[in-house]
Amino acid sequence: MLGALALLLTSCSPFALVNSEVYNNANLSDYHTFRIVTPDEGSLPKGMEMVTYYNIAAAIRQQMVERGFTEDPNSNLLINIAVTTQREISTEPLVQPAGYFPYYGPYYPYYIYPRAYYGPYWMPNSPYYSNAQVITGIYKEGVLTMDMVNLREKLPLYSASVATIINNGNGQYRNLKSIAEAVETLFSRFPVPVVK
């Protein structure tokens, strides 16, 4: 009975986990601090206001703290945030080396901190970039993506996406409560559990 109730409650959520993947065999529990990207390190996605950024950052911060991490502006673990701002359909498979974040070509989510800064494999002249194509799938407006990267080593560690933080009816970002619920879904398969 309890299982059926849990299934019913999760099926009513307007948010769906799109992906959750660890890269380079990273053990995220080896990290004890984190920092969240700030708008001055890039720019906000189209249509996102500062209040929405703060709400998303606060929800991510809460999830990380619940897992025993401490926020530190000098941390090596950067949490980058992206939003897909338009609906696109991609049709071709990706060619990329193992251990790197996916590349979405022209259907790329809008990152606050440009992914090109993560390492040389994102640069236009790299052999990986020239072979990259679009991943098969549909990217709907409002998919929130979170990357975790070791900036010192320029090493991708983890990426997850959740749909959708934009209301389909009016194109506006969801409220604080809904953003917190979306971020909770974003962390639902995060490899470091909540500290009891």
Side-chain angles (χ1 to χ4, degrees):
M1 182 71 162
L2 224 48
L5 180 59
L7 184 61
L8 178 64
L9 290 174
T10 56
S11 65
C12 294
S13 174
F15 308 105
L17 190 66
V18 176
N19 76 299
S20 176
E21 190 166 349
V22 175
Y23 295 93
N24 298 303
N25 297 316
N27 183 352
L28 288 161
S29 60
D30 287 346
Y31 293 83
H32 304 289
T33 62
F34 71 96
R35 72 180 183 90
I36 299 172
V37 66
T38 56
D40 62 338
E41 295 177 273
S43 57
L44 292 179
K46 179 181 174 184
M48 181 184 284
E49 296 179 3
M50 285 299 293
V51 67
T52 305
Y53 161 79
Y54 286 127
N55 290 343
I56 292 170
I60 290 172
R61 181 177 298 110
Q62 177 182 347
Q63 291 293 324
M64 292 296 285
V65 168
E66 286 178 359
R67 287 164 171 78
F69 293 86
T70 303
E71 189 168 17
D72 179 352
N74 299 312
S75 178
N76 210 25
L77 178 62
L78 172 71
I79 300 175
N80 197 9
I81 302 167
V83 176
T84 305
T85 56
Q86 59 186 352
R87 180 187 174 98
E88 299 289 354
I89 300 174
S90 54
T91 58
E92 298 179 29
L94 170 71
V95 176
Q96 72 178 34
Y100 295 118
F101 288 127
Y103 172 79
Y104 297 104
Y107 311 112
Y108 188 68
Y110 190 100
Y111 280 85
I112 294 176
Y113 186 82
R115 266 186 168 177
Y117 297 168
Y118 294 179
Y121 48 87
W122 290 109
M123 304 313 290
N125 295 330
S126 78
Y128 307 131
Y129 187 94
S130 62
N131 290 331
Q133 295 182 25
V134 181
I135 294 174
T136 302
I138 299 173
Y139 299 93
K140 296 180 181 178
E141 181 178 38
V143 174
L144 172 65
T145 301
M146 170 184 72
D147 283 353
M148 293 187 182
V149 61
N150 179 326
L151 276 186
R152 184 175 298 129
E153 297 176 21
K154 298 185 185 288
L155 187 68
L157 303 173
Y158 178 78
S159 185
S161 300
V162 64
T164 174
I165 64 160
I166 294 179
N167 283 320
N168 291 334
N170 60 18
Q172 297 295 311
Y173 284 89
R174 294 183 185 267
N175 63 25
L176 176 61
K177 181 179 178 221
S178 294
I179 286 174
E181 186 181 339
V183 171
E184 186 175 340
T185 302
L186 188 68
F187 276 84
S188 63
R189 290 180 52 202
F190 189 68
V192 179
V194 171
V195 177
K196 301 286 181 183

